[in-house]
Amino acid sequence: MLTNKTVVLGITGSIAAYKAVDIASQLTEAKAKVKVIMTEAATQFVTPLSFRSISGEPVVTDMFEPKSEFSVQHVSLAEAADVVVIAPATANVIAKLAAGIADDMLCCTVLATKAPVIIAPAMNVNMYENSITQYNIAKLKARGFIFVGPAYGRLASGKMGWGRFVEIREVVDTTQQVLRRGSDLAGRHIVVTAGGTQEPIDPVRHIGNRSSGKMGYALAEAARDRGADVMLISALTALPRPVGVELTEVRTAQEMYEAVAEAVAEADALIMAAAVADYRPMELSETKIKKETATLTLKLERTPDILGDVSGDFIKVGFAAESENLIENAKQKLHKKQLDLIVANDITATDSGFGVDSDRVVVISSDGKADSLPLLPKRQVADRILDKVVELLAKR
Ligand code: CTP
């Protein structure tokens, strides 16, 4: 039940606009207060009256409507919202939001709100696949906007392709899920590691790996948004410093080990998303190594296994990057490192894993239960992992 929750439902000018009537109806049935904002184009497809009848609330269509209760305080809906859902969202509204344009009530509200925003796109396949739209979507995703769909299927043009509005159930379920999360990590201390460690060979060279740090940063930001105090222990990355998160920068596996060992003393959970080097050069050359010989042998030694070595009264979450026997290898790591959860990642997939913005992972818990998630933006993967952390914390 969504009692006392306010959903601002934005409807834009797509042929799928009529489906939003059902979304409004299901959310109202779940006891949410549904405040509908329609763009002018949306009113060409469905009438405001349909939504007013379903939600029992006034429907906003015009920013300057003198009789509207929202007309004076144009940001009042932005403040009232527990979540904003734009379904269906056209390429046009997505572009405006990505650019920060606020020329109608819906865009104004989104720009002014601090609530999470869910976007369910619906558009022609060429519009969707256009690199401008893809760029706008990526930009919004990186800012934490939650995208549901679009789906592949038959479009209004009669063509098959990506751009179809998702099933209504998916929009309603995502809304429920986002609302339930709220501040479920308030008061919790979460330590997240991110990025790939670097093990120096000489003053200018190091042994590194391809981790971008995106998963760890997404986890830190998601945990922050759910109310946690977050300590992010990060190897060098090209990512911007996240706001509202305590950041400790490290370089080597040894430095990360020391930072984690200190941070976990107060932690409720440790999530090791970092790609930690397993070996480092035994000797660090003080001077730049010259190419004087035909071959060069570097002798390596093991680094500390951070996740395996630290212990205490906190939830331990590890990642397993595997190129074969995904589940089996991940389960072995889970037991060996005494984890509560392991997130298994198939690094051979090109659309998932290192450097890209999306991941297809399997989350395995210590009782052996494996939950295969679909291909999702890293931020959504982060929230799904945190959902499980919240469950585990509640059981402690
Ligand atoms: N990890 C760690 N310290 C290390 C190596 C890995 O804490 N020295 C953590 C990673 O952050 C990850 C998990 O352990 O959460 C598994 O990492 P992975 O590299 O997949 O496993 P390894 O233990 O290194 O095993 P292998 O490389 O043999 O597959």
Side-chain angles (χ1 to χ4, degrees):
M1 283 294 150
L2 301 177
T3 319
N4 298 328
K5 297 289 183 192
T6 299
V7 180
V8 170
L9 177 60
I11 296 143
T12 66
S14 152
I15 183 81
Y18 74 93
K19 294 184 181 170
V21 177
D22 219 3
I23 296 174
S25 160
Q26 291 189 30
L27 291 171
T28 307
E29 229 167 84
K31 300 271 183 286
K33 203 179 255 190
V34 181
K35 307 266 193 188
V36 172
I37 306 177
M38 299 179 79
T39 62
E40 202 182 323
T43 63
Q44 302 289 320
F45 292 92
V46 223
T47 65
L49 183 62
S50 312
F51 291 101
R52 201 167 71 211
S53 316
I54 294 275
S55 66
E57 297 277 340
V59 172
V60 185
T61 53
D62 179 357
M63 191 145 63
F64 302 106
E65 160 67 61
K67 277 180 279 169
S68 161
E69 61 170 303
F70 306 111
S71 62
V72 188
Q73 273 192 301
H74 66 289
V75 291
S76 62
L77 278 174
E79 281 165 7
D82 291 300
V83 64
V84 178
V85 183
I86 308 181
T90 56
N92 184 50
V93 79
I94 288 170
K96 288 206 288 182
L97 296 179
I101 291 172
D103 65 348
D104 63 21
M105 196 59 163
L106 181 57
C107 292
C108 236
T109 303
V110 174
L111 196 60
T113 195
K114 290 218 157 79
V117 182
I118 299 171
I119 296 188
M123 67 192 73
N124 164 275
V125 58
N126 294 340
M127 283 182 166
Y128 177 64
E129 287 176 353
N130 191 310
S131 60
I132 297 176
T133 305
Q134 289 301 316
Y135 173 79
N136 290 334
I137 291 176
K139 193 170 164 191
L140 291 173
K141 275 183 182 169
R143 298 202 157 254
F145 284 61
I146 302 159
F147 276 76
V148 192
Y152 182 90
R154 201 180 157 74
L155 304 170
S157 61
K159 273 196 192 167
M160 295 294 285
W162 290 100
R164 196 179 150 84
F165 192 55
V166 288
E167 298 292 325
I168 288 158
R169 176 185 44 80
E170 282 184 55
V171 180
V172 174
D173 283 359
T174 307
T175 310
Q176 293 252 18
Q177 211 176 40
V178 167
L179 283 173
R180 262 185 266 120
R181 278 176 194 148
S183 51
D184 56 7
L185 283 172
R188 300 291 193 181
H189 288 78
I190 311 279
V191 178
V192 181
T193 65
T197 62
Q198 297 182 350
E199 309 303 327
I201 299 169
D202 69 14
V204 291
R205 304 183 178 96
H206 62 250
I207 299 178
N209 61 68
R210 286 179 49 209
S211 169
S212 65
K214 286 180 176 172
M215 190 65 235
Y217 277 59
L219 276 159
E221 288 171 358
R224 170 204 65 197
D225 290 349
R226 294 166 77 149
D229 289 326
V230 182
M231 157 77 88
L232 175 62
I233 299 172
S234 176
L236 294 182
T237 71
L239 302 170
R241 171 182 276 263
V243 179
V245 162
E246 199 181 328
L247 178 68
T248 300
E249 285 171 315
V250 296
R251 185 169 179 209
T252 62
Q254 181 63 31
E255 284 173 25
M256 185 171 276
Y257 174 72
E258 285 161 22
V260 170
E262 193 184 325
V264 289
E266 298 204 11
D268 293 292
L270 166 66
I271 309 179
M272 282 285 306
V276 185
D278 290 323
Y279 292 93
R280 67 183 163 218
M282 273 183 86
E283 279 167 33
L284 168 62
S285 171
E286 297 285 327
T287 52
K288 189 178 164 207
I289 299 172
K290 289 289 188 189
K291 51 174 182 303
E292 285 160 349
T293 50
T295 61
L296 175 70
T297 307
L298 282 178
K299 207 155 191 195
L300 307 179
E301 64 183 2
R302 287 284 298 270
T303 56
D305 180 350
I306 305 172
L307 202 51
D309 288 353
V310 294
S311 59
D313 185 25
F314 53 85
I315 305 289
K316 271 209 299 191
V317 183
F319 278 72
E322 305 291 345
S323 50
E324 56 192 349
N325 301 332
L326 182 68
I327 307 285
E328 219 174 283
N329 285 346
K331 279 188 176 168
Q332 268 178 21
K333 277 180 196 167
L334 181 126
H335 293 301
K336 203 171 111 216
K337 303 193 186 199
Q338 297 193 308
L339 307 180
D340 298 281
L341 282 181
I342 194 151
V343 183
N345 212 328
D346 176 0
I347 54 167
T348 61
T350 52
D351 55 356
S352 163
F354 281 132
V356 296
D357 291 318
S358 49
D359 256 337
R360 190 185 294 103
V361 302
V362 184
V363 186
I364 306 168
S365 40
S366 54
D367 58 10
K369 231 179 85 198
D371 191 1
S372 298
L373 305 185
L375 184 68
L376 291 171
K378 287 196 166 151
R379 174 57 193 250
Q380 286 183 46
V381 175
D383 268 314
R384 299 285 280 266
I385 295 167
L386 292 175
D387 287 346
K388 299 210 186 266
V389 171
V390 168
E391 272 175 39
L392 289 169
L393 284 170
K395 279 192 210 145
R396 271 208 309 181

